[in-house]
Amino acid sequence: MKPAFSGSSGRLLEAAVAAIAAVDSGRVTLDDRLDAAGPGLRRSLSHLLLTFYRRRRFIDARIAELAARRPAPEVRRLLEAALTQIHFQSAIAPESAVNVAVETAAAAAGRRAAGFVNAVLRRAVRERPTAPEIPEQVLPPPVLRRWRRIFNSAELAQLTAAFLTEPEFTFRMEHQFMPGFDCDAIPSPGRYRFFRAAPEAVLNSEDFRLGRLYIQDPAASLAPSLDDLRGVRRALDLCAAPGGKSLMLSEALPGGAELVAADRSEARQRLTAANFRLRGLQHRTVTAAPEMLTGEFDYILADVPCSNTGVFRRRPDALWRFSDSGLAEIGKLQEHILAEAARLTAPGGRLIYSTCSIDPDENELRIASFLEGHPEFELTAQSRLLPGPGSDGAFAARLVKQPR
């Protein structure tokens, strides 16, 4: 889309349209797109896009209701972004949002497209119905069909409410410190301490500068809390980057234990190494795929790539990218990583498998399939956490390898 405005409102709208196109193409995630946004644009762009993907069913229904004809893809994306502003945002007046969208459409697609956009959005400003909050009118259709088979009505309502809710800004405090600013303690599914606070208070604090805290959701503590790590001498975080769970393991490991943080991404491993340096930790970072690793470890955490269906509060685009074929593809990778983790687990050692998914195919059924092919392992614990008001969703299983 050709630039239409030099002002911030025009740049925001153009950035939103480009981001929706990129994310919907499957080339990037919303996180990727926001990371590429300039510092002066990221906050407002993030709010607009997160709101859009949470409310996309409503926005799509509005376009079908208001548009006299099916809009071209570029015009449709422009309508999606502008309608999100009109219905769900207060940073720009609805009439101003219309004006910006019309001039953007004129610059990008001509006067006829601008007239069409103007007619649709002017009507939208006049007629502003309440957005529904029931699963059938909120969740993406493929997700709704699948979740109806998996979850009961109360769970489905909980997931829908979580999808529409902006998560709080939360962080984990290292065990030997207390926050030096106003914050509230919040529950977590594990032994680690989590708090909520205003982002500015956290990011401008001495605690943040010195690495005494880590910005994280409480659900991340489910897997590291599934084992007490007593007696562990060699530990491996198999998919470590950017190091958040490695830091939790470091707190729980006995003195003198070795921790190796491995990941296939060189760029993300630089973040892991930086997190270690900030806290004065000497743990080793390795950039390698699981099949490239050798040796034996008496504790392994395999926090595998997944569909992200447990973290949709922060990544609502994940539900719009979900498909059965994508689930099958990521399942093959999970199976491969789990098999490599089994190879690296010492006899008598513990293997923790975890995801940020709430889908049984990636969790309970993945573990059941693994055990059929690896009778040397025993499942000793597993836990699933559904997203709700206080945390994201997650799954973790503890597998113990028989001694020789």
Side-chain angles (χ1 to χ4, degrees):
M1 181 169 283
K2 299 175 183 178
F5 274 76
S6 57
S8 59
S9 296
R11 290 196 299 272
L12 173 61
L13 188 63
E14 290 161 2
V17 170
I20 293 170
V23 172
D24 286 356
S25 73
R27 298 192 306 269
V28 298
T29 66
L30 182 54
D31 279 350
D32 295 331
R33 196 70 190 194
L34 293 175
D35 286 343
L41 190 61
R42 179 183 172 116
R43 185 171 183 176
S44 54
L45 182 62
S46 173
H47 188 266
L48 195 161
L49 291 174
L50 289 171
T51 302
F52 165 65
Y53 281 106
R54 291 187 184 111
R55 292 293 188 173
R56 188 167 197 170
R57 286 291 296 270
F58 174 78
I59 297 297
D60 287 346
R62 289 295 282 154
I63 292 174
E65 176 186 357
L66 297 170
R69 64 178 187 272
R70 185 175 181 176
E74 188 176 67
V75 173
R76 182 183 185 86
R77 290 189 287 268
L78 178 60
L79 290 173
E80 288 171 336
L83 284 168
T84 302
Q85 293 177 316
I86 290 168
H87 285 287
F88 300 107
Q89 296 196 298
S90 58
I92 183 172
E95 294 77 9
S96 297
V98 175
N99 293 335
V100 174
V102 169
E103 293 198 34
T104 302
R111 294 181 62 182
R112 184 180 180 189
F116 175 75
V117 168
N118 182 64
V120 171
L121 296 184
R122 294 292 176 195
R123 184 179 169 193
V125 171
R126 294 193 304 270
E127 305 169 11
R128 299 173 66 182
T130 301
E133 299 190 353
I134 59 175
E136 293 75 13
Q137 294 179 315
V138 170
L139 298 174
V143 172
L144 178 63
R145 288 193 296 270
R146 185 169 183 84
W147 283 4
R148 275 177 167 163
R149 299 196 301 267
I150 296 172
F151 303 110
N152 61 40
S153 58
E155 291 170 330
L156 196 57
Q158 175 183 326
L159 294 172
T160 304
F163 185 56
L164 295 175
T165 303
E166 186 174 345
E168 296 176 308
F169 189 88
T170 59
F171 64 94
R172 180 181 62 82
M173 200 76 191
E174 291 194 354
H175 62 80
Q176 68 267 42
F177 301 111
M178 285 298 295
F181 50 87
D182 289 339
C183 60
D184 297 316
I186 56 176
S188 76
R191 56 175 169 266
Y192 298 93
R193 299 179 307 144
F194 284 82
F195 301 83
R196 70 167 70 92
E200 294 78 9
V202 177
L203 298 176
N204 295 327
S205 70
E206 187 80 351
D207 292 320
F208 181 70
R209 186 180 70 82
L210 296 176
R212 294 172 178 170
L213 59 84
Y214 191 84
I215 299 169
Q216 201 168 38
D217 187 88
S221 68
L222 182 66
S225 299
L226 211 57
D227 193 294
D228 60 19
L229 277 72
R230 285 183 295 182
V232 173
R233 305 311 303 166
R234 295 195 75 213
L236 170 66
D237 189 349
L238 193 57
C239 305
K245 289 186 174 66
S246 291
L247 295 177
M248 283 191 271
L249 296 181
S250 180
E251 286 192 30
L253 283 169
E258 175 190 5
L259 173 60
V260 177
D263 198 280
R264 67 174 67 231
S265 170
E266 182 177 358
R268 286 168 54 80
Q269 278 293 71
R270 287 196 285 269
L271 298 175
T272 306
N275 277 316
F276 287 168
R277 283 195 304 272
L278 180 61
R279 295 159 178 82
L281 301 173
Q282 302 301 313
H283 305 311
R284 186 159 61 99
T285 60
V286 177
T287 301
E291 62 270 17
M292 299 168 61
L293 300 174
T294 59
E296 288 188 336
F297 299 85
D298 48 359
Y299 177 96
I300 294 179
L301 172 61
D303 184 38
V304 302
C306 68
S307 65
N308 290 322
T309 51
V311 292
F312 58 67
R313 297 189 315 155
R314 301 173 196 281
R315 301 174 184 172
D317 61 306
L319 295 194
W320 287 99
R321 288 184 283 107
F322 179 88
S323 67
D324 289 340
S325 60
L327 186 66
E329 183 176 349
I330 199 71
K332 294 177 183 176
L333 178 59
Q334 293 166 351
E335 185 177 3
H336 168 71
I337 293 174
L338 193 50
E340 293 299 327
R343 173 181 61 84
L344 295 165
T345 305
R350 292 102 84 183
L351 167 56
I352 309 297
Y353 171 86
S354 74
T355 72
C356 57
S357 166
I358 56 173
D359 196 289
D361 278 18
E362 301 178 86
N363 298 329
E364 294 90 349
L365 296 178
R366 173 72 55 233
I367 294 300
S369 176
F370 169 79
L371 291 172
E372 287 182 3
H374 295 81
E376 72 276 19
F377 279 88
E378 177 188 3
L379 174 65
T380 59
Q382 65 178 346
S383 179
R384 185 188 66 183
L385 178 67
L386 289 182
S391 76
D392 292 332
F395 173 84
R398 183 180 187 265
L399 302 155
V400 178
K401 194 173 189 177
Q402 294 177 7
R404 287 193 179 98

